[in-house]
Amino acid sequence: MADADHRLLSYLLVHTKANHTHPAQPSLPDEGHRLRVLFEITNVLVSKLSWDELLPAISVVLARVIPHDGAAITVLDKNTGRLRLHALHVPDNVWFDLEPQTHAPDDLPSGQALASGEPVVTTAARFGLYPVEVSRQLMDRGVKAICSIPLITANGAIGTLELGRRSRADFGAEEIEFAVQVARQIAIALENSLAFQELAEIKEKLRIEKLYLEDDIRFEQNLGNMVGQSPAFQALLESVRIVAPTDATVLIQGETGTGKELVARAIHEGSPRRERSFVKVNCAAIPATLLESELFGHEKGAFTGALTQKIGRFELADRGTLFLDEVGEIPLELQPKLLRAIQEQEFERLGSNRTIRVNVRIVAATNRDLKAMMEEGRFRSDLYYRLNVFPIRVPPLRERKQDIPLLVRYFTQKYAQRLGRRIDSIPAGVMEALTHYSWPGNIRELQNLIERSVILSRGRVLEVTAPDAPRLGARQLAAFGQDAEREQILRALRQSGGVVGGPRGAAALLGLKRTTLQSRMKKLGIRREYR
Ligand SMILES: Nc1ncnc2c1ncn2[C@@H]1O[C@H](COP(=O)(O)OP(=O)(O)OP(=O)(O)O)[C@@H](O)[C@H]1O
Ligand SMILES: [Mg+2]
């Protein structure tokens, strides 16, 4: 310690002693001893430990001057005005069983210390005035007095140091004065570490937001492009328009590939939150064991493998929209925590007891029958009802066949443009077959098929190649009646110059597998050498 510091400390101690002499109190250890203790505490504070390690170290040293049985640090959250327990040290670990939560300052003795800027001693007789769980715990554990010392920095009080004592129902004036000296050191260290933590969080958030942003930019080209004119699709858009500007939770249900994610993004884009992040969590893609920390984040060392601190998606989505994709895959045991986060808008990171408050709009999607899952006990009913505030059903493509030609043209243009190609005609027969197909993979299947076809088409005519031909084959073609089918096949064969297989063959033109076409031809009595 520098000489100047040493002199200052001595001065403070002497000064303190001169001002407050309470002969009735048990006298403190001599000045030299106190100075050593203060010096040791300063040393502990400049070590790079976490607060969970720092506080016990401080408490043990401090106990040589001020006997106490437990210590805690509370921190005032600037944003919410609430107090949270930052660190707690209880020697035998038998004292507290605290729910991690924040408190209104008035609910704790600490609030009074914060407001007045003066130390406050609260005896057991007054614990009952504070109707919080922690008071009950203190009484149960035989704590006779609590001393709350404000942690004051140049920016005002940032929290309190709390000392609890079971041996006596008071704290002497000299003890309190000494605690004030210690609190001054702690306040500086705490302020620095909070500023550091805040910076680290902002940095991490920016980093992740940037990744999302890149994602969003890629997506941007797609957004205004929800194609569809069918009444079913128009009704869907109408629901989106109604619910988007509100903060209501939306549950989007629909088969795979129907456009649920597109709907979720449209809701975000149509809301006042559009300037903020749209954060997606795919609950099916993340292993169940990691999902919790993905959603809520974790502190360094929260579990094996948690090497660094991680900010969860809930935090990232603060003031934006959180899209819970495949919400039906959320493990049952995680559902209560998710429910609380959605309902109360607060949660803790794994390995932390600091409550984080957020303002997040939830949009969830699933292709499962959540109601049935709930009835079978595989999805919690409370969570189901919490999510199902505004349900939106995205109809499968087979219920809006009118949209198919539109979508085929749209995707053809899109992929042709992307590949720098020109395709200006889509054979009517091809369009018809596509329209009659049942599309179990919905728009995604259609989109993939068209992309593949555009790549493989060599002229200006879209040549549909369908590896899924058995499904597209006989049944759809039969729908036109045998004559129409024969007609179509003959037309294709003429176009291909009689070639059945290969990329320019009749099968490809019809979007059929070669073997399928051959068997159809056989059945209809069309011979290859028809020319
Ligand atoms: N109305 C639409 N117009 C144009 N493209 C669409 C439309 N609906 C969906 N798409 C496209 O179809 C693909 C599938 O959509 P999306 O990923 O939103 O479906 P999903 O319902 O989330 O599927 P899954 O259940 O498999 O996750 C996307 O590439 C999307 O851009
Ligand atoms: Mg999806």
Side-chain angles (χ1 to χ4, degrees), residues 254-258 260 367 395-399 401 404 434 436-446 468 471-472 475-476:
E255 289 176 15
T256 179
T258 45
K260 296 185 292 297
N367 55 25
L397 202 46
R398 65 179 173 282
E399 285 180 22
K401 287 187 181 296
I404 294 176
L434 294 176
H436 284 87
Y437 177 52
S438 62
W439 300 109
N442 293 295
I443 299 189
R444 181 177 300 111
E445 184 185 4
L446 174 70
D468 293 341
R471 278 187 288 168
L472 185 121
R475 207 161 9 105
Q476 274 78 32

Side-chain angles (χ1 to χ4, degrees), residues 261 325-326 444:
E261 182 163 348
D325 203 5
E326 316 283 2
R444 181 177 300 111

Side-chain angles (χ1 to χ4, degrees), residues 222 225 227 233 256-262 411 443-444 447:
N222 230 335
N225 302 330
V227 177
F233 186 76
T256 179
T258 45
K260 296 185 292 297
E261 182 163 348
L262 220 53
F411 288 128
I443 299 189
R444 181 177 300 111
Q447 179 180 326

Side-chain angles (χ1 to χ4, degrees), residues 67-143:
H68 62 278
D69 303 282
I73 286 175
T74 67
V75 168
L76 184 65
D77 185 323
K78 277 181 297 190
N79 298 321
T80 60
R82 292 173 71 84
L83 274 176
R84 64 182 164 75
L85 198 60
H86 190 66
L88 175 73
H89 171 61
V90 230
D92 331 318
N93 232 356
V94 288
W95 258 31
F96 286 92
D97 175 19
L98 287 179
E99 283 285 305
Q101 56 185 333
T102 60
H103 292 282
D106 286 347
D107 285 349
L108 299 175
S110 336
Q112 215 185 319
L114 264 180
S116 65
E118 298 288 334
V120 172
V121 174
T122 311
T123 54
R126 293 170 52 87
F127 287 168
L129 296 177
Y130 300 98
V132 286
E133 170 66 10
V134 56
S135 303
R136 201 184 58 75
Q137 297 263 359
L138 290 171
M139 282 192 270
D140 285 357
R141 307 297 177 196
V143 176

